Amino acid sequence: EVQLVESGGGLVQPGRSLRLSCAASGFTFDEYGMHWVRQAPGKGLEWVSGIDWNSASVGYAASVKGRFTISRDNAKNSLYLQMNSLRGEDMAVYYCAKSATPWGNYYYYHMDVWGTGTTVTVSS
Amino acid sequence: SYVLTQPPSVSVAPGQTARISCGGTNIAIKTVHWYQKRPGQAPVVVVHDVSDRPSGIPERFSGSKSGNTATLTISRVEDGDEADYYCQVWDNRGVIFGEGTELTVL
C-alpha cells in the first residue's frame, strides 16, 4: 500500500524553528517528486514547497521562501521541511504529497497520494 | 503571482448537476487538476490533466476547459459529494491552488 506519514508537528513559539518529516512507503520513493501543502484553519489549500526526485530542482511559495527549506533522503525514503522564523500565519495542517508521474519536474504533475497531515501551531 | 478564481460556494440538490468553475489568465494553455477536500481528511484528486479521472473516482466526476475557464462537473450529485473542491495548475516552477469552492448538497 502506498503511504505517506507526516510527523514533527507541534506547538512552537513565533520566531522558533520546527522540522517536519514525511515517511514514504509502498512505492519507489527516489523516482518521484514530492510536495508540502498546507491548510490554515478556515483557509484553503496552499502549496508550500516541492522537490524533484533527485533534489536537482526545488521550489517555494513566496510566503515561505527564505525561511523554509525542503529536502529529501532517498536512502531513508523520507521528505523533510525545515521551517525557521515561524510566524502565526504558518499555523496550519501540513500535508506531504507525491507527484503522480516518475522522473520529470515536481511541479508538472498532479499529486496522487497524500498523507494525513501534521499540525503546526505557532503561539507564544 | 498567478491567481485561480473559484466561486466560494455552489449549492445543488441531490441528483442534480454541480458545476464548479476555475478561471485564470491563459488557463487555456495550462494543465488543470481538481481535488476534493473533506474536513479532517487528506485531499483526493478527482480529475487530473483537465479531464482524466483516476481509478476509483466515479464517472459522475468530469472535467473540461473552455477559453480561460476550467470546469469540474459532478453529475447526479450525492450527499457524499459535499466537500471543498480546489483546482490546481503549475506556473513559474510553482504550484497554484484555486481559492476553493464549498459544495453544499441541499
Short mmCIF file of all heavy atoms in Angstrom, two decimals, chain A residues 67-104:
data_model
loop_
_atom_site.label_atom_id
_atom_site.label_comp_id
_atom_site.label_asym_id
_atom_site.label_seq_id
_atom_site.Cartn_x
_atom_site.Cartn_y
_atom_site.Cartn_z
N ARG A 67 12.71 31.20 4.40
CA ARG A 67 12.52 30.72 5.78
C ARG A 67 12.42 29.21 5.86
O ARG A 67 12.82 28.60 6.85
CB ARG A 67 11.25 31.34 6.37
CG ARG A 67 11.25 32.85 6.43
CD ARG A 67 10.03 33.38 7.18
NE ARG A 67 8.77 33.01 6.54
CZ ARG A 67 7.80 32.31 7.13
NH1 ARG A 67 7.93 31.90 8.38
NH2 ARG A 67 6.68 32.02 6.48
N PHE A 68 11.86 28.59 4.82
CA PHE A 68 11.66 27.14 4.82
C PHE A 68 12.63 26.50 3.83
O PHE A 68 12.97 27.08 2.80
CB PHE A 68 10.23 26.79 4.39
CG PHE A 68 9.15 27.13 5.39
CD1 PHE A 68 9.40 27.93 6.49
CD2 PHE A 68 7.86 26.63 5.21
CE1 PHE A 68 8.41 28.23 7.40
CE2 PHE A 68 6.85 26.93 6.10
CZ PHE A 68 7.12 27.74 7.20
N THR A 69 13.04 25.26 4.15
CA THR A 69 13.91 24.51 3.26
C THR A 69 13.39 23.08 3.13
O THR A 69 13.19 22.39 4.14
CB THR A 69 15.35 24.46 3.79
OG1 THR A 69 15.85 25.79 3.96
CG2 THR A 69 16.25 23.70 2.83
N ILE A 70 13.17 22.67 1.89
CA ILE A 70 12.73 21.31 1.62
C ILE A 70 13.95 20.46 1.29
O ILE A 70 14.91 20.93 0.68
CB ILE A 70 11.70 21.27 0.46
CG1 ILE A 70 11.04 19.90 0.35
CG2 ILE A 70 12.35 21.69 -0.85
CD1 ILE A 70 9.87 19.87 -0.65
N SER A 71 13.91 19.20 1.71
CA SER A 71 14.99 18.28 1.39
C SER A 71 14.45 16.86 1.42
O SER A 71 13.33 16.63 1.87
CB SER A 71 16.17 18.43 2.36
OG SER A 71 15.76 18.10 3.68
N ARG A 72 15.24 15.93 0.92
CA ARG A 72 14.83 14.54 0.94
C ARG A 72 16.05 13.65 1.12
O ARG A 72 17.17 14.03 0.74
CB ARG A 72 14.10 14.18 -0.34
CG ARG A 72 14.91 14.31 -1.61
CD ARG A 72 14.01 14.17 -2.86
NE ARG A 72 13.41 12.84 -2.94
CZ ARG A 72 12.33 12.58 -3.70
NH1 ARG A 72 11.75 13.55 -4.40
NH2 ARG A 72 11.84 11.35 -3.73
N ASP A 73 15.82 12.47 1.68
CA ASP A 73 16.86 11.46 1.82
C ASP A 73 16.31 10.21 1.16
O ASP A 73 15.49 9.49 1.77
CB ASP A 73 17.19 11.23 3.29
CG ASP A 73 18.36 10.28 3.48
OD1 ASP A 73 18.64 9.47 2.57
OD2 ASP A 73 18.99 10.32 4.55
N ASN A 74 16.70 9.97 -0.07
CA ASN A 74 16.14 8.83 -0.80
C ASN A 74 16.54 7.50 -0.19
O ASN A 74 15.82 6.51 -0.31
CB ASN A 74 16.56 8.90 -2.27
CG ASN A 74 15.82 10.00 -3.03
OD1 ASN A 74 14.79 10.50 -2.58
ND2 ASN A 74 16.34 10.37 -4.19
N ALA A 75 17.66 7.46 0.49
CA ALA A 75 18.08 6.22 1.14
C ALA A 75 17.18 5.87 2.31
O ALA A 75 17.03 4.71 2.68
CB ALA A 75 19.52 6.35 1.61
N LYS A 76 16.55 6.90 2.88
CA LYS A 76 15.66 6.68 4.02
C LYS A 76 14.19 6.82 3.63
O LYS A 76 13.32 6.81 4.51
CB LYS A 76 16.00 7.68 5.13
CG LYS A 76 17.38 7.49 5.74
CD LYS A 76 17.61 8.46 6.90
CE LYS A 76 18.98 8.22 7.53
NZ LYS A 76 19.24 9.18 8.65
N ASN A 77 13.91 6.98 2.34
CA ASN A 77 12.53 7.16 1.88
C ASN A 77 11.82 8.26 2.65
O ASN A 77 10.66 8.10 3.07
CB ASN A 77 11.74 5.85 2.01
CG ASN A 77 12.17 4.81 1.00
OD1 ASN A 77 12.86 5.11 0.03
ND2 ASN A 77 11.79 3.57 1.22
N SER A 78 12.50 9.37 2.82
CA SER A 78 11.96 10.43 3.66
C SER A 78 12.07 11.81 3.03
O SER A 78 13.04 12.12 2.33
CB SER A 78 12.67 10.45 5.02
OG SER A 78 12.38 9.29 5.76
N LEU A 79 11.06 12.62 3.31
CA LEU A 79 10.99 14.01 2.87
C LEU A 79 10.97 14.88 4.12
O LEU A 79 10.41 14.49 5.15
CB LEU A 79 9.70 14.23 2.07
CG LEU A 79 9.38 15.64 1.59
CD1 LEU A 79 10.32 16.04 0.45
CD2 LEU A 79 7.93 15.73 1.15
N TYR A 80 11.58 16.05 4.01
CA TYR A 80 11.66 16.94 5.17
C TYR A 80 11.27 18.36 4.80
O TYR A 80 11.35 18.77 3.64
CB TYR A 80 13.10 16.95 5.73
CG TYR A 80 13.64 15.58 6.04
CD1 TYR A 80 14.52 14.94 5.17
CD2 TYR A 80 13.26 14.90 7.19
CE1 TYR A 80 15.01 13.67 5.44
CE2 TYR A 80 13.75 13.63 7.47
CZ TYR A 80 14.62 13.02 6.59
OH TYR A 80 15.09 11.77 6.85
N LEU A 81 10.86 19.11 5.83
CA LEU A 81 10.64 20.54 5.67
C LEU A 81 11.19 21.23 6.92
O LEU A 81 10.64 21.07 8.01
CB LEU A 81 9.16 20.87 5.50
CG LEU A 81 8.87 22.35 5.20
CD1 LEU A 81 9.39 22.72 3.80
CD2 LEU A 81 7.37 22.63 5.30
N GLN A 82 12.28 21.95 6.75
CA GLN A 82 12.85 22.73 7.83
C GLN A 82 12.20 24.10 7.82
O GLN A 82 12.28 24.82 6.82
CB GLN A 82 14.37 22.86 7.66
CG GLN A 82 15.05 23.72 8.71
CD GLN A 82 14.98 23.10 10.09
OE1 GLN A 82 15.19 21.91 10.27
NE2 GLN A 82 14.70 23.92 11.10
N MET A 83 11.54 24.44 8.92
CA MET A 83 10.81 25.70 9.00
C MET A 83 11.46 26.59 10.03
O MET A 83 11.48 26.24 11.23
CB MET A 83 9.35 25.42 9.35
CG MET A 83 8.66 24.46 8.40
SD MET A 83 6.90 24.28 8.72
CE MET A 83 6.94 23.53 10.34
N ASN A 84 11.99 27.70 9.61
CA ASN A 84 12.64 28.66 10.50
C ASN A 84 11.82 29.94 10.59
O ASN A 84 10.97 30.21 9.75
CB ASN A 84 14.05 28.98 10.00
CG ASN A 84 14.96 27.76 9.97
OD1 ASN A 84 14.79 26.81 10.75
ND2 ASN A 84 15.93 27.77 9.08
N SER A 85 12.10 30.72 11.61
CA SER A 85 11.44 32.03 11.78
C SER A 85 9.93 31.91 11.62
O SER A 85 9.30 32.66 10.86
CB SER A 85 12.00 33.04 10.77
OG SER A 85 13.39 33.16 10.89
N LEU A 86 9.35 30.97 12.34
CA LEU A 86 7.92 30.70 12.19
C LEU A 86 7.07 31.88 12.63
O LEU A 86 7.41 32.61 13.58
CB LEU A 86 7.54 29.45 12.95
CG LEU A 86 7.94 28.15 12.22
CD1 LEU A 86 7.96 26.97 13.16
CD2 LEU A 86 6.99 27.89 11.05
N ARG A 87 5.96 32.06 11.92
CA ARG A 87 5.03 33.15 12.18
C ARG A 87 3.65 32.58 12.46
O ARG A 87 3.37 31.43 12.13
CB ARG A 87 4.96 34.06 10.94
CG ARG A 87 6.28 34.59 10.45
CD ARG A 87 6.12 35.20 9.06
NE ARG A 87 7.38 35.74 8.54
CZ ARG A 87 7.57 36.11 7.28
NH1 ARG A 87 6.56 36.01 6.40
NH2 ARG A 87 8.74 36.59 6.90
N GLY A 88 2.78 33.42 12.97
CA GLY A 88 1.42 32.98 13.22
C GLY A 88 0.73 32.48 11.97
O GLY A 88 -0.05 31.51 12.02
N GLU A 89 1.02 33.09 10.85
CA GLU A 89 0.37 32.69 9.61
C GLU A 89 0.89 31.36 9.05
O GLU A 89 0.34 30.86 8.06
CB GLU A 89 0.52 33.79 8.54
CG GLU A 89 1.93 34.24 8.28
CD GLU A 89 2.29 35.50 9.06
OE1 GLU A 89 1.86 35.63 10.24
OE2 GLU A 89 3.02 36.35 8.50
N ASP A 90 1.91 30.81 9.68
CA ASP A 90 2.38 29.48 9.28
C ASP A 90 1.61 28.36 9.99
O ASP A 90 1.79 27.18 9.68
CB ASP A 90 3.87 29.32 9.60
CG ASP A 90 4.75 30.29 8.82
OD1 ASP A 90 4.48 30.49 7.62
OD2 ASP A 90 5.69 30.83 9.41
N MET A 91 0.77 28.73 10.92
CA MET A 91 -0.01 27.74 11.65
C MET A 91 -0.99 27.06 10.69
O MET A 91 -1.81 27.72 10.03
CB MET A 91 -0.77 28.39 12.81
CG MET A 91 -1.47 27.41 13.72
SD MET A 91 -1.87 28.18 15.31
CE MET A 91 -3.07 29.38 14.79
N ALA A 92 -0.88 25.73 10.60
CA ALA A 92 -1.67 25.01 9.61
C ALA A 92 -1.47 23.51 9.79
O ALA A 92 -0.60 23.07 10.55
CB ALA A 92 -1.23 25.39 8.19
N VAL A 93 -2.29 22.75 9.08
CA VAL A 93 -2.02 21.33 8.90
C VAL A 93 -1.13 21.22 7.66
O VAL A 93 -1.45 21.78 6.61
CB VAL A 93 -3.32 20.53 8.68
CG1 VAL A 93 -2.99 19.06 8.39
CG2 VAL A 93 -4.22 20.65 9.91
N TYR A 94 -0.02 20.52 7.80
CA TYR A 94 0.93 20.36 6.71
C TYR A 94 0.83 18.95 6.15
O TYR A 94 0.94 17.97 6.89
CB TYR A 94 2.35 20.63 7.20
CG TYR A 94 2.64 22.10 7.38
CD1 TYR A 94 2.09 22.81 8.45
CD2 TYR A 94 3.44 22.80 6.48
CE1 TYR A 94 2.33 24.17 8.61
CE2 TYR A 94 3.69 24.16 6.63
CZ TYR A 94 3.13 24.83 7.69
OH TYR A 94 3.37 26.18 7.84
N TYR A 95 0.61 18.88 4.85
CA TYR A 95 0.49 17.61 4.15
C TYR A 95 1.71 17.36 3.28
O TYR A 95 2.20 18.27 2.60
CB TYR A 95 -0.74 17.59 3.25
CG TYR A 95 -2.06 17.71 3.96
CD1 TYR A 95 -2.71 18.93 4.08
CD2 TYR A 95 -2.68 16.58 4.51
CE1 TYR A 95 -3.94 19.04 4.71
CE2 TYR A 95 -3.90 16.68 5.15
CZ TYR A 95 -4.52 17.92 5.25
OH TYR A 95 -5.74 18.02 5.88
N CYS A 96 2.13 16.14 3.26
CA CYS A 96 3.13 15.66 2.32
C CYS A 96 2.37 15.02 1.16
O CYS A 96 1.36 14.34 1.38
CB CYS A 96 3.98 14.65 3.08
SG CYS A 96 5.01 13.55 2.12
N ALA A 97 2.81 15.26 -0.06
CA ALA A 97 2.10 14.71 -1.22
C ALA A 97 3.09 14.26 -2.27
O ALA A 97 4.16 14.85 -2.45
CB ALA A 97 1.15 15.75 -1.81
N LYS A 98 2.71 13.23 -3.01
CA LYS A 98 3.56 12.61 -4.02
C LYS A 98 3.13 13.07 -5.42
O LYS A 98 1.94 13.13 -5.75
CB LYS A 98 3.43 11.09 -3.90
CG LYS A 98 4.00 10.28 -5.05
CD LYS A 98 3.68 8.83 -4.86
CE LYS A 98 3.94 8.03 -6.13
NZ LYS A 98 2.95 8.33 -7.18
N SER A 99 4.12 13.39 -6.23
CA SER A 99 3.84 13.68 -7.62
C SER A 99 3.42 12.40 -8.33
O SER A 99 3.94 11.32 -8.05
CB SER A 99 5.09 14.26 -8.28
OG SER A 99 4.83 14.68 -9.59
N ALA A 100 2.50 12.51 -9.24
CA ALA A 100 1.87 11.32 -9.81
C ALA A 100 2.75 10.54 -10.78
O ALA A 100 2.59 9.33 -10.95
CB ALA A 100 0.58 11.69 -10.52
N THR A 101 3.67 11.23 -11.43
CA THR A 101 4.43 10.61 -12.50
C THR A 101 5.91 10.59 -12.15
O THR A 101 6.44 11.59 -11.66
CB THR A 101 4.21 11.38 -13.81
OG1 THR A 101 2.81 11.37 -14.11
CG2 THR A 101 4.97 10.76 -14.98
N PRO A 102 6.60 9.49 -12.37
CA PRO A 102 8.02 9.43 -12.01
C PRO A 102 8.88 10.32 -12.89
O PRO A 102 8.50 10.70 -14.00
CB PRO A 102 8.37 7.95 -12.22
CG PRO A 102 7.38 7.45 -13.20
CD PRO A 102 6.11 8.23 -12.95
N TRP A 103 10.04 10.64 -12.32
CA TRP A 103 11.01 11.48 -13.00
C TRP A 103 10.37 12.85 -13.29
O TRP A 103 9.50 13.30 -12.61
CB TRP A 103 11.53 10.82 -14.29
CG TRP A 103 11.76 9.36 -14.18
CD1 TRP A 103 11.14 8.37 -14.91
CD2 TRP A 103 12.64 8.65 -13.29
NE1 TRP A 103 11.59 7.13 -14.52
CE2 TRP A 103 12.51 7.27 -13.52
CE3 TRP A 103 13.54 9.07 -12.28
CZ2 TRP A 103 13.25 6.31 -12.83
CZ3 TRP A 103 14.24 8.10 -11.58
CH2 TRP A 103 14.10 6.75 -11.87
N GLY A 104 10.81 13.57 -14.24
CA GLY A 104 10.21 14.84 -14.61
C GLY A 104 10.28 15.90 -13.53
O GLY A 104 10.90 15.71 -12.48
#
